[in-house]
Amino acid sequence: MSYLLEVCADSVRSAIAAQEGGADRVELCSGLVIGGLSPSPAMFRKVKRNTDLKIRVLLRPRFGDFCYDEYEFQTLKEEVEQFRDLGADGVVIGILQPDGTLNMEQMTELVKAAGEIGITMHRAFDVCRDPFEALDQCISLGIDTILTSGQKSSAWEGRKMLAELVKRADGRMNILAGAGIRPDVIADLAAYTGVKAFHMSGKKVIDSRMEFRREGVPMGIPGFSEFEIWQTDAEQVRKAAEVVEYIQNRF
C-alpha cells in the first residue's frame, strides 16, 4: 500500500485545514474533545461540498465504553446506512462484549450494512482483551483498516505491538497508527514498525470570539473551558504530510 495521512476533524473548518495541509483523508466526527462522536449528516454534506478529501465517518453514539445496548446498536446501524447512502468513502466503527472481546454478531451486521465502502475498526481495538485475536476477526469480517495506538496511550509507546500487528496482518489489512502522531514522530515510527498509515488531529486551541464571558457555568465536563475551540492546524498537517512524502519517496 502507499503511505496515507488521515486527519480527524470535528468541524468543516478543520476539514478544510486538513485539505490545505495536504492530508489524504479525514475521519469526520463531532466532539473530538471527548474522543469523537458521530457527526451530523449536515456537517458531512458541508465537508463533502467544501473539500475534495476522502471521508471516513466515525460512528459512536455516546462518550464512554464500546459496549452498546440494543437502542445504541440500532442507532449505529442506521447511521452506517445513512452515511453510506450520503456518499461516505468509509465508516469507522467498533463494538465490544462485556468480556473485552469483539461483538462479532453486531459487527457482522454493521459490516453488512456498510456494503462496498471502506471500514475502519476504531480504537475500541485498543481496549479489547486480545488484540491478535481481534486482528484475525477484523480480517475475517472484511474490515480493511485498524486504527490503533498499540494499546498504549500513544503510538510511540505502543510501537512494539504496532510492529507485531503489521507483521501479523501481512498485507491483508492496513494498520493505521493513531494517538500522539506529530511530524517529529512519523519517520521514526514508520522505521520501527513498518506502519504506512498515520492518523493525527493536528489540533490547535483557539480563543473564543466571545467578548462577554460568563465564567463558572460549565456546559459539559468540568475542567474544559467553554472559551477554547479545538481546530485542525493546516501547518501541522503540512509538516506531517511532508514527512510522509519524504519516507514514501525514500522507501
Side-chain angles (χ1 to χ4, degrees):
M1 70 171 270
S2 59
Y3 284 77
L4 173 84
L5 180 64
E6 176 181 88
V7 173
C8 52
D10 65 353
S11 69
V12 179
R13 193 171 294 278
S14 284
I16 291 171
Q19 175 163 287
E20 290 174 348
D24 300 298
R25 188 171 77 196
V26 291
E27 179 198 77
L28 188 64
C29 65
S30 65
L32 186 56
V33 71
I34 53 172
L37 301 174
S38 301
S40 70
M43 187 199 299
F44 174 85
R45 286 191 291 265
K46 288 288 191 298
V47 171
K48 198 164 180 64
R49 192 173 301 138
N50 287 279
T51 75
D52 299 317
L53 292 168
K54 292 185 179 298
I55 307 170
R56 290 206 175 187
V57 181
L58 172 68
L59 300 178
R60 186 178 175 213
R62 57 161 170 77
F63 172 74
D65 64 35
F66 303 102
C67 184
Y68 300 124
D69 65 26
E70 188 62 21
Y71 298 109
E72 292 165 333
F73 169 67
Q74 291 300 330
T75 298
L76 281 171
K77 186 176 178 181
E78 188 172 320
E79 287 181 328
V80 169
E81 295 167 344
Q82 180 178 49
F83 284 106
R84 176 202 68 200
D85 293 344
L86 284 172
D89 297 286
V91 290
V92 184
I93 56 176
I95 306 178
L96 300 180
Q97 296 275 22
D99 66 358
T101 59
L102 289 193
N103 188 319
M104 290 295 286
E105 181 179 348
Q106 291 184 343
M107 288 292 290
T108 297
E109 286 197 47
L110 295 188
V111 169
K112 183 178 179 181
E116 298 301 315
I117 65 175
I119 303 173
T120 298
M121 170 72 185
H122 62 44
R123 291 191 65 209
F125 181 87
D126 282 328
V127 292
C128 75
R129 179 185 294 274
D130 185 336
F132 302 115
E133 176 186 53
L135 170 69
D136 290 337
Q137 290 174 323
C138 285
I139 292 170
S140 74
L141 287 168
I143 292 171
D144 62 60
T145 301
I146 293 175
L147 170 61
T148 175
S149 63
Q151 296 202 320
K152 297 291 185 180
S153 61
S154 73
W156 182 249
E157 290 180 19
R159 61 191 181 278
K160 290 183 179 179
M161 181 176 288
L162 286 172
E164 184 62 27
L165 290 169
V166 170
K167 180 180 178 181
R168 294 200 184 201
D170 193 26
R172 294 175 293 169
M173 70 154 28
N174 302 327
I175 302 300
L176 175 61
I181 299 298
R182 306 181 308 274
D184 61 331
V185 169
I186 292 172
D188 288 342
L189 191 64
Y192 189 98
T193 65
V195 163
K196 294 184 177 181
F198 305 91
H199 170 98
M200 68 183 297
S201 65
K203 63 181 177 291
K204 61 181 177 180
V205 178
I206 299 174
D207 191 47
S208 169
R209 293 185 296 114
M210 289 294 298
E211 296 175 2
F212 173 77
R213 300 189 178 192
R214 177 75 68 190
E215 302 287 355
V217 187
M219 297 295 166
I221 299 175
F224 285 95
S225 172
E226 306 297 333
F227 303 105
E228 292 181 351
I229 311 299
W230 288 24
Q231 189 173 301
T232 298
D233 180 9
E235 186 57 31
Q236 287 190 52
V237 177
R238 185 174 294 111
K239 290 177 180 178
E242 288 172 354
V243 176
V244 171
E245 183 178 11
Y246 169 76
I247 59 177
Q248 179 165 273
N249 291 337
R250 184 177 179 184
F251 299 108

